mmCIF file of all heavy atoms in Angstrom:
data_model
loop_
_atom_site.group_PDB
_atom_site.id
_atom_site.type_symbol
_atom_site.label_atom_id
_atom_site.label_comp_id
_atom_site.label_asym_id
_atom_site.label_seq_id
_atom_site.Cartn_x
_atom_site.Cartn_y
_atom_site.Cartn_z
ATOM 1 N N MET B 965 -112.807 51.423 1.630
ATOM 2 C CA MET B 965 -113.808 50.596 0.975
ATOM 3 C C MET B 965 -114.011 50.944 -0.475
ATOM 4 O O MET B 965 -114.085 50.068 -1.313
ATOM 5 C CB MET B 965 -115.149 50.708 1.773
ATOM 6 C CG MET B 965 -115.223 49.835 2.998
ATOM 7 S SD MET B 965 -114.802 48.101 2.729
ATOM 8 C CE MET B 965 -116.351 47.600 2.083
ATOM 9 N N ALA B 966 -114.103 52.258 -0.641
ATOM 10 C CA ALA B 966 -114.280 52.738 -1.989
ATOM 11 C C ALA B 966 -113.179 52.302 -2.912
ATOM 12 O O ALA B 966 -113.302 51.931 -4.110
ATOM 13 C CB ALA B 966 -114.388 54.266 -2.031
ATOM 14 N N ARG B 967 -111.975 52.326 -2.323
ATOM 15 C CA ARG B 967 -110.838 51.949 -3.124
ATOM 16 C C ARG B 967 -110.894 50.415 -3.440
ATOM 17 O O ARG B 967 -110.566 50.023 -4.603
ATOM 18 C CB ARG B 967 -109.615 52.262 -2.331
ATOM 19 C CG ARG B 967 -108.397 52.285 -3.217
ATOM 20 C CD ARG B 967 -107.094 52.460 -2.444
ATOM 21 N NE ARG B 967 -106.106 51.801 -3.218
ATOM 22 C CZ ARG B 967 -104.852 51.770 -2.883
ATOM 23 N NH1 ARG B 967 -104.462 52.373 -1.697
ATOM 24 N NH2 ARG B 967 -103.951 51.135 -3.574
ATOM 25 N N GLU B 968 -111.256 49.585 -2.363
ATOM 26 C CA GLU B 968 -111.487 48.207 -2.539
ATOM 27 C C GLU B 968 -112.439 47.930 -3.745
ATOM 28 O O GLU B 968 -112.149 47.180 -4.576
ATOM 29 C CB GLU B 968 -112.092 47.551 -1.251
ATOM 30 C CG GLU B 968 -111.081 47.327 -0.200
ATOM 31 C CD GLU B 968 -110.319 46.015 -0.443
ATOM 32 O OE1 GLU B 968 -110.910 44.944 -0.506
ATOM 33 O OE2 GLU B 968 -109.087 46.099 -0.514
ATOM 34 N N LYS B 969 -113.518 48.670 -3.678
ATOM 35 C CA LYS B 969 -114.555 48.462 -4.614
ATOM 36 C C LYS B 969 -114.081 48.820 -6.123
ATOM 37 O O LYS B 969 -114.291 48.039 -7.010
ATOM 38 C CB LYS B 969 -115.804 49.307 -4.284
ATOM 39 C CG LYS B 969 -117.046 48.909 -5.092
ATOM 40 C CD LYS B 969 -118.213 49.815 -4.680
ATOM 41 C CE LYS B 969 -119.391 49.535 -5.496
ATOM 42 N NZ LYS B 969 -120.471 50.487 -5.297
ATOM 43 N N SER B 970 -113.365 49.939 -6.112
ATOM 44 C CA SER B 970 -112.921 50.285 -7.464
ATOM 45 C C SER B 970 -111.904 49.319 -7.999
ATOM 46 O O SER B 970 -111.813 49.047 -9.150
ATOM 47 C CB SER B 970 -112.325 51.765 -7.425
ATOM 48 O OG SER B 970 -110.971 51.754 -7.113
ATOM 49 N N LEU B 971 -111.147 48.733 -6.984
ATOM 50 C CA LEU B 971 -110.140 47.720 -7.477
ATOM 51 C C LEU B 971 -110.872 46.562 -8.077
ATOM 52 O O LEU B 971 -110.516 45.994 -9.102
ATOM 53 C CB LEU B 971 -109.317 47.309 -6.188
ATOM 54 C CG LEU B 971 -107.999 46.555 -6.555
ATOM 55 C CD1 LEU B 971 -107.007 47.437 -7.326
ATOM 56 C CD2 LEU B 971 -107.413 46.059 -5.304
ATOM 57 N N THR B 972 -111.894 46.035 -7.310
ATOM 58 C CA THR B 972 -112.646 45.003 -7.750
ATOM 59 C C THR B 972 -113.330 45.194 -9.093
ATOM 60 O O THR B 972 -113.223 44.433 -10.056
ATOM 61 C CB THR B 972 -113.760 44.568 -6.775
ATOM 62 O OG1 THR B 972 -113.255 44.641 -5.465
ATOM 63 C CG2 THR B 972 -114.365 43.196 -7.058
ATOM 64 N N GLN B 973 -113.805 46.467 -9.229
ATOM 65 C CA GLN B 973 -114.409 46.834 -10.500
ATOM 66 C C GLN B 973 -113.366 46.802 -11.653
ATOM 67 O O GLN B 973 -113.677 46.244 -12.758
ATOM 68 C CB GLN B 973 -115.055 48.210 -10.317
ATOM 69 C CG GLN B 973 -116.487 48.174 -9.814
ATOM 70 C CD GLN B 973 -116.978 49.529 -9.512
ATOM 71 O OE1 GLN B 973 -116.233 50.588 -9.583
ATOM 72 N NE2 GLN B 973 -118.273 49.656 -9.289
ATOM 73 N N SER B 974 -112.257 47.284 -11.266
ATOM 74 C CA SER B 974 -111.165 47.371 -12.326
ATOM 75 C C SER B 974 -110.831 45.925 -12.692
ATOM 76 O O SER B 974 -110.645 45.669 -13.907
ATOM 77 C CB SER B 974 -110.035 48.083 -11.709
ATOM 78 O OG SER B 974 -108.879 47.867 -12.462
ATOM 79 N N ARG B 975 -110.727 45.063 -11.772
ATOM 80 C CA ARG B 975 -110.436 43.657 -12.111
ATOM 81 C C ARG B 975 -111.445 43.055 -13.029
ATOM 82 O O ARG B 975 -111.161 42.294 -13.945
ATOM 83 C CB ARG B 975 -110.327 42.811 -10.803
ATOM 84 C CG ARG B 975 -109.003 43.048 -10.124
ATOM 85 C CD ARG B 975 -108.601 41.790 -9.445
ATOM 86 N NE ARG B 975 -107.171 42.070 -8.964
ATOM 87 C CZ ARG B 975 -106.333 41.102 -8.817
ATOM 88 N NH1 ARG B 975 -106.649 39.840 -9.094
ATOM 89 N NH2 ARG B 975 -105.130 41.359 -8.367
ATOM 90 N N GLU B 976 -112.734 43.237 -12.587
ATOM 91 C CA GLU B 976 -113.750 42.663 -13.429
ATOM 92 C C GLU B 976 -113.740 43.205 -14.869
ATOM 93 O O GLU B 976 -113.927 42.484 -15.844
ATOM 94 C CB GLU B 976 -115.162 42.981 -12.800
ATOM 95 C CG GLU B 976 -115.602 41.968 -11.876
ATOM 96 C CD GLU B 976 -116.886 42.419 -11.141
ATOM 97 O OE1 GLU B 976 -117.555 43.427 -11.596
ATOM 98 O OE2 GLU B 976 -117.125 41.834 -10.049
ATOM 99 N N TYR B 977 -113.384 44.518 -14.874
ATOM 100 C CA TYR B 977 -113.242 45.115 -16.234
ATOM 101 C C TYR B 977 -112.223 44.466 -17.030
ATOM 102 O O TYR B 977 -112.403 44.100 -18.210
ATOM 103 C CB TYR B 977 -112.941 46.565 -15.944
ATOM 104 C CG TYR B 977 -112.674 47.492 -17.164
ATOM 105 C CD1 TYR B 977 -113.762 47.696 -18.145
ATOM 106 C CD2 TYR B 977 -111.457 47.942 -17.418
ATOM 107 C CE1 TYR B 977 -113.546 48.483 -19.205
ATOM 108 C CE2 TYR B 977 -111.191 48.737 -18.587
ATOM 109 C CZ TYR B 977 -112.301 48.991 -19.468
ATOM 110 O OH TYR B 977 -112.010 49.748 -20.566
ATOM 111 N N ASP B 978 -111.034 44.240 -16.396
ATOM 112 C CA ASP B 978 -109.954 43.582 -17.074
ATOM 113 C C ASP B 978 -110.321 42.170 -17.533
ATOM 114 O O ASP B 978 -110.079 41.742 -18.690
ATOM 115 C CB ASP B 978 -108.697 43.475 -16.145
ATOM 116 C CG ASP B 978 -108.099 44.799 -15.838
ATOM 117 O OD1 ASP B 978 -108.391 45.758 -16.549
ATOM 118 O OD2 ASP B 978 -107.274 44.911 -14.881
ATOM 119 N N GLU B 979 -110.918 41.429 -16.577
ATOM 120 C CA GLU B 979 -111.319 40.046 -16.911
ATOM 121 C C GLU B 979 -112.229 40.090 -18.115
ATOM 122 O O GLU B 979 -112.074 39.214 -19.096
ATOM 123 C CB GLU B 979 -112.153 39.455 -15.750
ATOM 124 C CG GLU B 979 -111.340 39.317 -14.506
ATOM 125 C CD GLU B 979 -110.516 37.986 -14.359
ATOM 126 O OE1 GLU B 979 -111.050 36.969 -14.887
ATOM 127 O OE2 GLU B 979 -109.390 38.075 -13.962
ATOM 128 N N ASN B 980 -113.168 41.004 -18.155
ATOM 129 C CA ASN B 980 -114.163 41.102 -19.313
ATOM 130 C C ASN B 980 -113.370 41.321 -20.577
ATOM 131 O O ASN B 980 -113.762 40.714 -21.622
ATOM 132 C CB ASN B 980 -115.149 42.175 -19.036
ATOM 133 C CG ASN B 980 -116.278 41.643 -18.118
ATOM 134 O OD1 ASN B 980 -116.463 40.502 -18.076
ATOM 135 N ND2 ASN B 980 -116.894 42.587 -17.402
#
Side-chain angles (χ1 to χ4, degrees):
Chain B
M965 281 305 282
R967 198 184 151 180
E968 281 279 304
K969 194 180 174 188
S970 88
L971 196 66
T972 317
Q973 274 174 346
S974 163
R975 283 214 171 206
E976 268 172 20
Y977 176 70
D978 290 346
E979 299 274 324
N980 279 333

